[in-house]
Amino acid sequence: MNRYRRGKPEKMMVSNSRGGKSAKEPRRGASGGRVSLLGKLRSYLQSHRHLFFSTVKRLASEPIQTLMTSLVVAIALGLPAVLYVGVVNLQQLGSRVETTTQITVFLKIDSSQKAIEQFQKNLISEADVDTVEYISRQQALEEFRILSGFGDVLDMLDENPLPPVFIVQPVAHFQRDLVASEVLVAKLKGMALVDDVQLDMKWMQRLQAMLVIGERFALSLGLALALGVLLIIGNTIRLAIESRRDEIVVVKLVGGTNAYVRRPFLYTGIWYGVIGGILAWVLVAVGVQWISGPVARLAELYQSLFELMGLGFFGLIVLLLIGASLGLIGAWLAVARHISSIEPK
Amino acid sequence: MIQFDKVSKRYPTGHEALNGLSLELDAGEMAFLIGHSGAGKSTLLKLIMLMERPTHGQLLVNGKNLNRLHRSQIPYYRRNIGVVFQNHQLLFDRSAFDNVALPLLVSGYQPREVGRRVRAALDKVGLLDKEKMNPIALSGGEQQRLGIARAVVHKPRILLADEPTGNLDPELSAEIMDLFRQFCEVGVTVLIATHDVDLISRMGMRQLQLQQGRLIQDGVPA
Ligand SMILES: Nc1ncnc2c1ncn2[C@@H]1O[C@H](COP(=O)(O)OP(=O)(O)O)[C@@H](O)[C@H]1O
Ligand SMILES: [Mg+2]
C-alpha cells in the first residue's frame, strides 16, 4: 500500500470543477431515469403502435416460417370449424325433413277379441293419435316367420308366443317432440289391456342424438386442437426468443424490463393466431363453396330448398378472437418460461 | 457513489472470486481496476451491474443497498449505469444509430428526444457520420466507441468498462481512455477494469489492484 498514495488533491480538483459543471446541468439526474407521467403514457402507446408494425414487418421478412406456423394454426382452428359447419347444416337439414315417430303397443297375450276392438276405438278417439294399425297375433307370427327365418323353431312350439300389437302414429306436432311422445307412451302404458309400449326413435331422433354427439365431438376436438395451437405458437415463440438471445441480453443490460422484452413476442403470438384464424376461415369458406354446388343439385333432386351454410362474418370474428387469444396465451407460456431465464452473464 | 463492504462472491463452482473486499469510489471519481486474469475484476463489475449477487457483505451504490434491491427493480437500477464490454455486445441486425438508441427506447423516451440524444452521443465519440452503418462494417476501434456511445447515451451517473481496450492497438486504446476521462470530467463516476498497466500508469489516476479476489493496492501510483 505504501508505494501508492490516495490521490486526494487531484481528486478534489476534479470534484471542484465537476461541482461547477453539475450546477449548470441541474436536470441531468432527472432526465437520466425519470420521464413525466403523461410523457410515459404517450411513449407507452407509441411503443405499442411501433410494436404493432415492427412485429408485422418481422413476420413479413420471414414469409415461409410465418405462413407455415399460421397454416398449422389454421388447420387446427379449421377442423373443428368444419365439424361445426357440418353439424349446423345437418341440424338445418333435419329441421326441414318430415319424419315419423311411431309407438308400438303390445297388448296382453290373453286379451279377448272384443276387448281389442274396444281398445282400438279408444285409441282412435285419442286426441294425440293420428293413425292406428292393428297386427293380430296370427299376422305377427306370419311376419316373424318370414322375417326371422326361425320358422322351424316356431313350429315346434304348441302355442303362438306373440302378443297382439298396435302401431300408433301420433299427430304431426308430436313428430319431433320427444317429451310429448314420452307423455303419450306413459298414458298408453297405464291402460288396462296394455302389456308394454315401445317408442320407436326413427332416424330423425337418431340424427338429433348423433348431432348432439357431433357437437360434443367438435367441442372436444376443438379443445384438444386449441391445446395444440398453444403448443405450436408457444414453440415458435420459444425459437424466436432463442434466436434473439443476444438482443435480449443487451436489452436487459441497458435496463429493459421483462415486460419490455416480452411485448414483441406477445404481439407476434397474437399475429400468428390472427393470421391462422383468417386462413382457417378462408379454408372453410373455400370448402363450403366447393361442395355447395353438388349439395344444391342433390337438394334439387329431393325438391328441397336446402342451402349450405358457411361460417359467415360472425364466424370470422369468432375465429379471429379465438386465434388471437390462443396466440397470446401460447406466446405468454413461452415467454414466461424462457425470457426470465435469459440474463446477462 | 460505489461502496463495497467486506464483499465476497463465491460462484456455484465453489470458486471464491472475491474475498472480503472493501472499497469506496466517490461520485465523479475515476479509477482503474487492475490485476491478473482471474483476479476478480469482471466479477466486481458484474456485482455492480447486478449480473451477479454477493454471497457475503454489502454493496452500496448511490446510497442504495443492492442486497435489498428486488429482482423487479434491477432494470430501473441499471438505467443509472452505462457499461462497456471488451466484446462490445453490439447488435449486428440494426444500424449504429439503433444500437445506441436501445437504452433510451427501453426507458420510454420520446422519438424526438431519442434522435437528439443518440446524435449527441455519436458526435461525442466521433461517429456521427456513421449512424446509418451496420456496426459490423465498422473497425474495431469504431465498434468500441459505438459501445461507449451506447453506454453514455442516457447520461448515466456511473460508467463501467470491462477491458474496453482489450484488442485495440496502443494508439486507439489511448483514444478510448481519453474518452472515459472526458466523461469523468463532466461528473460521471468511472470504473474501468484493464490489464493495460502501461497505458493507464501515464494517466495518473487511482488504481485498484486485485489479486485472488482481494484488494492489495489502492491509490494513485507515485
Ligand atoms: N460464472 C462463473 N462461474 C464460476 N467461476 C467463475 C465465473 N466467473 C468467473 N469465475 C471465476 O472467478 C475468478 C475471477 O474471474 P473474473 O472476475 O472474470 O476475473 P478477471 O476479470 O479479473 O479476469 C476466475 O477464477 C474465474 O474462473
Ligand atoms: Mg475479466
Side-chain angles (χ1 to χ4, degrees), chain B residues 11-13 15 17 36-44 46 52 162:
Chain B
Y11 281 109
T13 54
H15 188 91
H36 295 296
S37 174
K41 306 183 293 293
S42 298
T43 301
L44 192 150
K46 282 177 182 170
E52 297 287 351
D162 196 357

Side-chain angles (χ1 to χ4, degrees), chain A residues 220-238:
Chain A
S220 47
L221 183 74
L223 286 177
L225 288 174
L227 210 65
V229 170
L230 287 187
L231 293 178
I232 293 158
I233 292 182
N235 194 50
T236 307
I237 297 294
R238 182 183 65 81

Side-chain angles (χ1 to χ4, degrees), chain A residues 5 11 18 31 43 247 255, chain B residues 27 29 79 94 108-109 220:
Chain A
R5 65 180 169 81
K11 262 193 301 161
R18 165 176 28 111
S31 55
S43 71
E247 184 185 348
Chain B
E29 197 176 4
R79 291 176 194 178
R94 61 196 73 195
Y109 278 81
V220 179

Side-chain angles (χ1 to χ4, degrees), chain B residues 3-80:
Chain B
Q3 191 181 341
F4 280 72
D5 186 14
K6 299 198 194 77
V7 171
S8 297
K9 172 65 189 179
R10 183 197 294 270
Y11 281 109
T13 54
H15 188 91
E16 192 100 15
L18 289 181
N19 207 332
L21 181 130
S22 297
L23 67 84
E24 204 169 325
L25 209 67
D26 291 338
E29 197 176 4
M30 176 158 170
F32 289 104
L33 209 50
I34 57 174
H36 295 296
S37 174
K41 306 183 293 293
S42 298
T43 301
L44 192 150
L45 295 180
K46 282 177 182 170
L47 288 177
I48 301 175
M49 275 309 279
L50 279 176
M51 291 157 76
E52 297 287 351
R53 294 273 195 176
T55 25
H56 287 292
Q58 301 206 326
L59 176 49
L60 275 76
V61 174
N62 199 13
K64 262 198 202 103
N65 188 335
L66 296 196
N67 289 351
R68 299 213 193 100
L69 203 68
H70 188 260
R71 251 177 85 90
S72 61
Q73 286 295 315
I74 292 178
Y76 304 99
Y77 163 77
R78 282 183 184 154
R79 291 176 194 178
N80 295 308

Side-chain angles (χ1 to χ4, degrees), chain A residues 33-318:
Chain A
R34 285 177 295 253
V35 184
S36 83
L37 199 66
L38 196 70
K40 238 181 194 167
L41 183 71
R42 194 186 302 155
S43 71
Y44 185 77
L45 294 178
Q46 258 167 2
S47 86
H48 271 277
R49 202 181 55 189
H50 169 75
L51 277 171
F52 187 89
F53 293 110
S54 68
T55 48
V56 170
K57 245 197 251 164
R58 195 175 275 271
L59 287 175
S61 72
E62 297 171 330
I64 303 291
Q65 155 77 41
T66 303
L67 199 68
M68 295 271 270
T69 303
S70 305
L71 208 57
V72 175
V73 171
I75 290 166
L77 291 176
L79 272 179
V82 162
L83 258 179
Y84 172 78
V85 167
V87 166
V88 165
N89 277 300
L90 282 175
Q91 270 167 350
Q92 195 209 173
L93 181 70
S95 70
R96 285 161 180 269
V97 171
E98 287 305 317
T99 180
T100 50
T101 300
Q102 81 181 14
I103 299 170
T104 311
V105 182
F106 301 93
L107 298 188
K108 292 196 171 110
I109 203 156
D110 53 358
S111 306
S112 71
Q113 194 59 35
K114 211 164 177 188
I116 290 171
E117 275 165 27
Q118 185 56 43
F119 182 79
Q120 184 164 18
K121 275 186 200 135
N122 289 349
L123 266 186
I124 291 167
S125 63
E126 195 71 48
D128 303 333
V129 172
D130 190 12
T131 62
V132 171
E133 185 195 343
Y134 173 59
I135 301 168
S136 70
R137 293 182 63 196
Q138 199 47 49
Q139 281 170 320
L141 190 64
E142 288 308 317
E143 232 171 80
F144 187 77
R145 198 191 295 279
I146 294 161
L147 291 176
S148 72
F150 284 121
D152 300 344
V153 181
L154 285 176
D155 288 341
M156 281 158 64
L157 296 170
D158 298 343
E159 229 176 291
N160 179 0
L162 299 174
V165 170
F166 280 99
I167 307 288
V168 176
Q169 301 282 350
V171 288
H173 78 268
F174 271 51
Q175 298 297 347
R176 270 185 304 278
D177 190 343
L178 267 182
V179 178
S181 303
E182 296 283 4
V183 171
L184 180 58
V185 166
K187 191 166 167 190
L188 291 172
K189 265 187 184 160
M191 292 179 168
L193 218 54
V194 174
D195 185 33
D196 195 12
V197 182
Q198 210 178 319
L199 179 63
D200 295 339
M201 267 173 55
K202 297 300 257 189
W203 73 268
M204 189 54 225
Q205 270 84 17
R206 291 208 193 99
L207 179 65
Q208 294 291 7
M210 300 253 288
L211 286 179
V212 170
I213 294 170
E215 234 170 310
R216 299 250 166 97
F217 182 66
L219 193 68
S220 47
L221 183 74
L223 286 177
L225 288 174
L227 210 65
V229 170
L230 287 187
L231 293 178
I232 293 158
I233 292 182
N235 194 50
T236 307
I237 297 294
R238 182 183 65 81
L239 292 175
I241 291 171
E242 221 37 66
S243 74
R244 291 172 72 183
R245 197 179 188 83
D246 293 347
E247 184 185 348
I248 293 172
V249 166
V250 173
V251 166
K252 286 196 171 185
L253 263 181
V254 299
T257 56
N258 278 334
Y260 180 88
V261 178
R262 267 200 297 267
R263 252 175 256 145
F265 296 108
L266 297 182
Y267 264 91
T268 306
I270 293 175
W271 281 124
Y272 280 130
V274 166
I275 299 170
I278 294 172
L279 284 179
W281 187 84
V282 170
L283 286 180
V284 173
V286 167
V288 167
Q289 195 58 41
W290 191 49
I291 62 165
S292 72
V295 166
R297 249 167 283 138
L298 196 67
E300 225 170 276
L301 284 182
Y302 286 86
Q303 275 140 27
S304 161
L305 290 170
F306 178 74
E307 213 178 304
L308 208 56
M309 278 182 7
L311 280 173
F313 179 69
F314 181 71
L316 176 64
I317 299 297
V318 170

